[in-house]
Amino acid sequence: FASYYGDHMVLQKEPAGAVVWGRGQPGAAVTVALLGAGGLIVMKKTVQVKGPSGTWTTVLDPMDQGGPYTLAAEQGLENVTLQDIYFGDVWLCSGQSNMAMTVLQVANASQELAAAARYPYVRVFAVAPARSDIELENLERIDLPWSIPTAENLGHGNFTYFSAVCWLLGRSLYETLGSPVGLVEAAWGGTPIEAWSSRQALQTCGLLEDTGRVKPLLCFAPPLCPAFSSSTSAHQHLSGPQTPSVLWNAMIHPLLNMTLRGIAWYQGEANAFLNTDRYNCTFPALIADWRQAFHTGSAGQTDPLLPFGFVQLSTYRHQSPDDSFARLRWHQTADLGVVPNARMPGTFMAVAMDLGDEHSPYGSIHPRDKQNVVHRLLLGAKAVAYGDKDLVFQGPYPVRAVLEVTRGLLNITYSQELVCWQRDMQSFEVCCSSQASPCRWLPAPMVAVGSHTVTLALSGCGMLVLGLRYAWAEWPCKYQSCPLYNAQGLPAPPFL
């Protein structure tokens, strides 16, 4: 088998078929058998090893949830047997350091670690950080082979394995679904999206030259590349590999044969300091490219519209020299504010700008409250991935804005009933100008909040109102709360 098969793993349950693959003698026949209780043969597949690659692949018949099963592969006199195999839903978790934070590092860590033993049917696997200039067929190393969760392997160390966001999501999915969950972590701190993107995805966004040569990603002349606040910040926050495609090549490409149920992604901080205004292309391009690659790699078993959930950027600095975090949050939605949308179908987002943690021992860019992040991700997963049509999984969003010129007011109508947690004077801003550029952004105080409407005062804006924005700051919410939520406690996302 490929080296990342092992005892205790979870394979994707029906309606998809799980893909099993490995290496063998070219031309030889490999027999794969799934065995149930008492060694009863549930299914048997025979496949020929391809030459000259020496690889074989077979798709198991779709299996109902449950186990344990034994999986055996035999070629001539050689055989490999794997024990304690379950069928359930397999999720891939990827991104940078906020995804890499372990359970040891989050709020209530000791309780979370102690609870691990209650979830023996949530299985975990961690890819070791690795980079490659070419697409690899096999992982170079594994940090954590398929394992039953314990306090030790969930809290191995800081930013190592296992991912807290991934674990908490998987545990929550298990509680919701009642079926086994397999979690695969592939994360590396301080890494931009370009490193996780294939060459084809980057070409879609014009980040690779026609010759195939990589365009320089870093620029240390801030006036010429406003995405950076400074070269020092760029170095500080791009601590991992930055070369295009090297993490895709080494950490994602070897996984493409896997049948997946969904992906969870927490990344973007690095791109607040690198190619920020390309993210509205690079992120949708990565999603589309990963979906196609996993669909093709799994012989069509992974859904072509594979559910893709992500965390919108949280917070970093109270006083920021630029608006790169705000722009990146906006670009995470392909500049449409909410997901799913036409450019990002089948996606869901956890807003996290109200979960800042300035006292985090890992730096304010690494908030410890991952439980609320996961609660919001879970709502999106239940609605988008599992089809709960009645579930409210995102906060209120404006659908109309009407200007009352004579009274100097702007009335904004929202999609959901509003709950005002605080009447913040700075959250809403209007663009006041007599011409399209440059924009003068001035605060527009909230003077009234109705069940679905917010009324803003435009007293400081005697000229033409050309734009409106909300929560457009690196740390937009005070005292752990934003001004506007819905009845379910979900914050209104930022917009421009």
Side-chain angles (χ1 to χ4, degrees):
F1 289 112
S3 57
Y4 22 104
Y5 277 83
D7 294 340
H8 315 303
M9 69 181 171
V10 172
L11 294 174
Q12 181 59 42
K13 68 179 179 69
E14 51 80 32
V19 179
V20 179
W21 75 99
R23 306 187 74 83
Q25 190 69 33
V30 174
T31 301
V32 178
L34 186 70
L35 311 174
L40 180 70
I41 296 177
V42 177
M43 80 177 76
K44 184 177 281 191
K45 302 279 181 179
T46 301
V47 62
Q48 194 166 22
V49 180
K50 298 175 191 171
S53 65
T55 60
W56 57 267
T57 304
T58 189
V59 180
L60 301 183
D61 299 336
M63 290 288 296
D64 197 3
Q65 66 189 48
Y69 294 94
T70 297
L71 190 62
E74 186 177 284
Q75 176 199 284
L77 298 176
E78 295 181 71
N79 63 78
V80 177
T81 303
L82 306 177
Q83 310 284 347
D84 192 39
I85 309 301
Y86 280 78
F87 286 85
D89 278 349
V90 182
W91 282 73
L92 170 65
C93 303
S94 188
Q96 57 179 114
S97 55
N98 269 303
M99 181 61 84
M101 283 180 77
T102 63
V103 182
L104 182 73
Q105 296 177 270
V106 301
N108 302 317
S110 56
Q111 295 97 307
E112 298 289 8
L113 291 171
R118 302 206 302 266
Y119 300 92
Y121 303 113
V122 181
R123 306 292 172 82
V124 292
F125 175 96
V127 176
R131 69 187 94 188
S132 172
D133 292 332
I134 59 170
E135 292 181 339
L136 301 183
E137 297 305 316
N138 288 305
L139 296 172
E140 287 187 348
R141 289 189 306 113
I142 293 164
D143 267 344
L144 183 68
W146 280 109
S147 303
I148 296 170
T150 65
E152 289 73 30
N153 59 30
L154 293 184
H156 183 83
N158 292 346
F159 303 105
T160 51
Y161 54 90
F162 191 76
S163 163
V165 168
C166 195
W167 164 252
L168 293 170
L169 178 62
R171 188 185 77 181
S172 301
L173 286 170
Y174 172 76
E175 290 173 339
T176 299
L177 303 168
S179 60
V181 176
L183 300 172
V184 178
E185 177 194 349
W188 192 330
T191 51
I193 196 170
E194 290 81 3
W196 295 101
S197 303
S198 72
R199 295 183 69 84
Q200 298 94 304
L202 293 173
Q203 280 174 328
T204 300
C205 298
L207 279 171
L208 292 183
E209 295 173 354
D210 292 337
T211 60
R213 193 168 63 86
V214 174
K215 286 186 178 179
L217 290 182
L218 288 176
C219 168
F220 295 114
L224 302 178
C225 35
F228 290 111
S229 56
S230 71
S231 58
T232 305
S233 293
H235 278 305
Q236 180 184 350
H237 296 291
L238 297 168
S239 55
Q242 301 143 45
T243 307
S245 304
V246 291
L247 303 185
W248 157 265
N249 292 341
M251 298 176 70
I252 302 300
H253 191 267
L255 304 176
L256 293 183
N257 292 129
M258 296 183 84
T259 308
L260 296 181
R261 186 63 181 85
I263 293 175
W265 174 260
Y266 197 157
Q267 189 278 335
E269 296 89 348
N271 286 98
F273 305 93
L274 171 65
N275 287 340
T276 304
D277 292 320
R278 297 288 191 102
Y279 206 87
N280 60 1
C281 181
T282 50
F283 189 35
L286 176 139
I287 294 171
D289 185 66
W290 282 29
R291 282 172 168 163
Q292 181 59 45
F294 275 100
H295 177 67
T296 302
S298 65
Q301 298 304 304
T302 296
D303 194 311
L305 197 62
L306 180 64
F308 195 109
F310 63 95
V311 184
Q312 196 176 47
L313 286 196
S314 184
T315 54
Y316 178 30
R317 302 162 295 193
H318 280 288
Q319 300 298 324
S320 175
D322 58 42
D323 65 347
S324 60
F325 258 60
R327 297 203 317 276
L328 201 287
R329 288 189 193 109
W330 183 240
H331 296 330
Q332 284 179 293
T333 67
D335 300 353
L336 292 168
V338 287
V339 299
N341 59 48
R343 288 193 61 202
M344 299 174 66
T347 61
F348 53 96
M349 174 176 76
V351 176
M353 64 183 181
D354 59 333
L355 304 177
D357 182 3
E358 60 187 322
H359 302 297
S360 171
Y362 314 105
S364 58
I365 205 167
H366 298 121
R368 289 165 290 180
D369 180 3
K370 296 297 191 273
Q371 289 86 348
N372 271 308
V373 165
V374 167
H375 168 68
R376 295 170 185 179
L377 269 182
L378 177 68
L379 291 176
K382 287 164 70 173
V384 174
Y386 294 99
D388 188 341
K389 303 298 183 190
D390 300 321
L391 188 67
V392 176
F393 66 98
Q394 54 192 352
Y397 200 72
V399 293
R400 190 170 72 249
V402 177
L403 194 61
E404 288 188 59
V405 179
T406 54
R407 299 176 64 198
L409 300 174
L410 182 63
N411 294 303
I412 307 165
T413 304
Y414 273 82
S415 59
Q416 301 172 29
E417 188 169 345
L418 296 172
V419 177
C420 182
W421 283 23
Q422 55 171 297
R423 192 74 64 80
D424 193 325
M425 304 295 281
Q426 303 292 324
S427 289
F428 286 96
E429 298 170 284
V430 288
C431 167
C432 300
S433 183
S434 55
Q435 55 193 28
S437 181
C439 226
R440 284 184 58 226
W441 289 101
L442 297 176
M446 299 162 61
V447 294
V449 180
S451 63
H452 286 79
T453 60
V454 175
T455 301
L456 307 179
L458 304 177
S459 53
C461 192
M463 297 165 280
L464 190 63
V465 177
L466 295 177
L468 170 68
R469 66 188 188 186
Y470 170 73
W472 202 264
E474 197 162 296
W475 201 304
C477 305
K478 298 177 182 176
Y479 318 115
Q480 298 295 104
S481 67
C482 290
L484 299 175
Y485 289 77
N486 63 12
Q488 291 75 25
L490 298 174
F495 70 80
L496 173 61

